[in-house]
Amino acid sequence: MGSDLLDKGYEPHDVEHRWYEFWEANDLFSAEDQGPRRGYALVIPPPNVTGVLHMGHALNNTLQDILCRYRRLKGDNVLWMPGTDHAGIATQNVVERKLAQEGTDRHALGRERFIAQVWQWREKYGSAIINQLKRLGASCDWKRERFTMDEGLSRAVRKVFVELYHQGLIYRGNYIINWCHRCHTALADLEVEHAEIDGNLYHIRYPFADGSGGITIATTRPETMLGDTAVAVNPADERYHGITATAVILPLVNREIPIIRDAYVDMSFGTGGLKVTPAHDPNDFEIGRRHNLPSIKAIGDDGRMTGEAGRFAGLDRFECRKSVVQELQETGRLEKIEPYRHSVGHCYRCKTVIEPNLSRQWFVRAKPLAEKAIAAVKQGETRIIPEIWANTYFDWLENIRDWCISRQIWWGHQIPAWTCEDCGELVVAMQAPPDCPKCGGAHLVQEEDVLDTWFSSALWPFSTMGWPEQTPLLKTFYPTAVLVTGFDILFFWVARMMMMGLHFMGAVPFRDVYVHALVRDEEGQKMSKSKGNVIDPLDIIERYGTDAFRFTLAAFAAQGRDVKMSEKRVEGYRHFINKLWNAARFALMHLDRRYDPVKLDELCLADRWILSRLNRVSLEMAQALDTYRFNDAAAALYGFVWHEFCDWYLEAVKPALHGKLAPAARERSLGVLWRVLHDTLILLHPFIPFVTEEIWHKLPGTDGSIMRAAFPGEAAAAAPPPPDPEAEARMGLLIDVVSGIRNIRGETGISPALNLDAVVHPADDAAKAVIEQYRDMIVTLARLRSITVTDSAERPKASATAVARGATIHVLLEGIVDFAKERERMEKELGKLAKDFASIAKKLQNQDFLAKAPAEVVTKVMDQQRELLGRQQKIQSNLDKIREYGSAS
RNA sequence: GGGCGGAUAGCUCAGUCGGGAGAGCGUCGGCCUUACAAGCCGAAGGUCGCAGGUUCGAUCCCUGUUCCGCCUACCA
């Protein structure tokens, strides 16, 4: 009591800053490279260095932090490896935009100076998201923070590239890839987002070269005809069996191109004629290879038409489409235009329409790597949770195609390959070779392209731990315990980490993958800037405090269901934080030291009960977190703190604490109160770290940070008393009796200020003993003036009755209450019972049920029937008496 | 085109052996009871999407169906 008294309401702001600094200053997030404790590691899904914290990050990192803090309390050596990735395209875009504002561009600067600028940008702004994670309370081992472009991680990237190349798993070649004209780079198939678009289907007539007729083809991209090198029909298509022409004249260009026959062509589509543009369509590319067709690149890498497009050269591709259509119309080659809805690829970074484009790129041969990644999950070396995602994972890996890893940008890991200008030899090596190993020439030029950012993040679980060195860190923490991530990067990242981890470490990168849901808005819509429904996590934190926000996220993080976020929900959990705060405030008015371990046999019922419940809740919570059921853990704690600890326990022991009972009773209850608060804070700490740390320091007898505390039942902690079913049952009886009286009071509209007289008739001796022993508790909690325990089943005159498990309660209402109301109440109660009774009776009348249902189920139902019947009879007889009384009065 | 998920109280959602439907919020009624009005006490509210089937018994298992959402796919 005294100076340490808590404020009336919890104010998160100062508290959060103060304790985060304290944790960092005291090195409480640090893992030990090695040691006797069990290693438990997570690697953070590295946010883009350009990123700002959004709801997805908040959920993802809150869940990870809960696991980390929980495992620390359990005694593990926890490593949460933080960092960011260099986000090649995104970061380059940001810096290019900045240059544009300054009236220059990267080409004017040149590669080296541009990259220097990006590094500068990173120095200045790159830690924004890290600081935001700290606001969230993330207990990452910040001293180990990594960046995918760090020297160590870059060495790992080069090593992986070189080895895969020499193993034949990386190759270079001319293929159709996805080209973003705005970002000016190739993209992997995964990086293309498909969206349905209302376009047109243009039907164009290609005349036969011999003048005997023509073929009509249909296309959604008429401008690509400038690069056509054939027209194809299906060999089985009878419509084209009679034709003698072997070539057509390409309209506008007047180039003669062959008519070929290929089974790929769908006879049912349009006229069955297909224009073939090997340089601008993946299928056409394959057809071209089968028929040795030339490839003509009509659209350049800058999105403008090339010299191959003749008079259209230099036009933007979409401008060109208009011109081509217009000219086809004018020359009568355009048969019709029909509206056509089809799926079009867009760049996942800038949403520009992707153009399939022929170019020379580097690829990872994915199949052999994928096979190992599939097997590891099939054999259970890595578990995917919830399991439903395993199917998605298998499906993608089983149909995986080679991965285009080269990007035509500057910011990233430059590909460690050199070409000899003298003899053309390609050298792939960790370092720049001094001269050509083949011809000895000194003119080696490094490949200009850089690697896909995902190539480096695929190595994250081991590159961050010092690989290719065999570090103690790797030994202690690889494979990591769990990867926590959203399903949106299951393929981008998780599958690729699996492939690389298995290939280079010979072991899976993580034992578990916990896949969580998306955070949506209140209406279930995906949050997006264009919809204007984005909720900024930092705003929420500012307004409601980090703890309330984290608890909300955890409480809604049910497996397989998206999290719908709204301020109102956070507000609700802020009330919970405040409730805890005030419970602690109350406790601290009485607690003034550390209390000795409790002696069970001396305790009162409420004390024994709350300890038993505490024990069960700690088990429940541990089990829930061990199986990634965050919402179950949160709900168990919420219910325990509010509805058991606050609503019943604190109220029950108030008389003792206020000194209304013997001093010894006060001491015993203080000991239990201390213990329960102490342990409850520990249980809550993973979810709401700040407020628990704050209260922890106010609680007498605690030592240092709550982060260093031991989970109830762990070696360093005092073992909690075992569950006590007897205490739970007895307390349940008292709760029922009190609730029965409160119900009468509420339903009949008696003022809470009025102290009532009650007569209780226990069902048996055991119940009688409990009620007599704890009559004071009933008096206090039910606000009675007196309580009489009687063996008589006789109902006192002018009373209202409640039937609890194990006791009948009469509240004397002479002159207090309107008996019409009381009669109504009893009739309602009777109606409810009748409904329940009917369903049970129906069951018991069913011979099949009696014959076929398991014996214990039948017994149970019969017990239920007996109990219902008893209640029904008591209420009925009371009702009869009320009717008498009512008519008499 | 293929695949997956959801549909339970006014709202958001739990419900993992098939055995009397739960929580939070909201609503209604009553309370400033010396931790908390960000609170306390009480209450109302559900054909568990629809139609079949299996079963003694179905929110749960099976089949079909409707609506919503998502992922995937090279049909011009």
Side-chain angles (χ1 to χ4, degrees), chain A residues 261-280:
Chain A
R261 284 158 211 279
D262 194 289
Y264 167 77
V265 181
D266 179 358
M267 288 185 284
S268 63
F269 193 92
T271 61
L274 173 71
K275 67 190 273 303
V276 182
T277 324
H280 293 296

Side-chain angles (χ1 to χ4, degrees), chain A residues 701-715:
Chain A
T702 57
D703 187 22
S705 170
I706 193 171
M707 286 189 65
R708 286 261 167 82
F711 197 84
E714 286 304 313

Side-chain angles (χ1 to χ4, degrees), chain A residues 30-79:
Chain A
S30 298
E32 290 169 5
D33 285 58
Q34 48 199 323
R37 292 182 302 156
R38 184 172 56 170
Y40 182 92
L42 292 85
V43 291
I44 203 169
N48 288 353
V49 67
T50 56
V52 288
L53 191 81
H54 57 58
M55 279 291 169
H57 295 126
L59 173 64
N60 178 248
N61 289 290
T62 294
L63 299 183
Q64 290 178 79
D65 196 50
I66 289 169
L67 291 174
C68 285
R69 289 177 184 272
Y70 165 65
R71 300 306 321 186
R72 285 191 197 102
L73 296 173
K74 280 275 189 177
D76 290 354
N77 176 16
V78 172
L79 168 63

Side-chain angles (χ1 to χ4, degrees), chain A residues 200-204 217-220 222 321 325 334 336-337:
Chain A
N200 294 312
L201 195 56
Y202 301 87
H203 297 258
I204 308 167
I217 59 86
T219 180
T220 55
R321 178 176 297 174
V325 169
L334 192 64
K336 63 174 171 180
I337 302 175

Side-chain angles (χ1 to χ4, degrees), chain A residues 111 161 172 360 362 414-429 431-437 439-449:
Chain A
R111 186 166 187 143
F161 185 93
R172 184 174 70 168
R360 196 177 70 169
W362 294 82
Q414 198 170 347
I415 291 178
W418 288 261
T419 305
C420 173
E421 289 194 309
D422 300 327
C423 71
E425 176 75 355
L426 181 68
V427 186
V428 170
Q431 308 294 337
D435 44 39
C436 175
C439 72
H443 305 102
L444 289 156
V445 181
Q446 185 169 5
E447 174 71 55
E448 295 235 317
D449 291 355

Side-chain angles (χ1 to χ4, degrees), chain A residues 829-864:
Chain A
E829 178 76 15
L830 214 49
K832 250 196 274 182
L833 289 175
K835 232 169 89 184
D836 290 350
F837 187 77
S839 90
I840 284 182
K842 194 177 146 200
K843 233 179 227 186
L844 290 173
Q845 277 156 18
N846 183 342
Q847 288 307 315
D848 285 331
F849 173 73
L850 297 175
K852 294 180 185 170
E856 70 261 25
V857 173
V858 176
T859 316
K860 195 175 147 199
V861 172
M862 284 168 71
D863 287 349
Q864 286 167 357

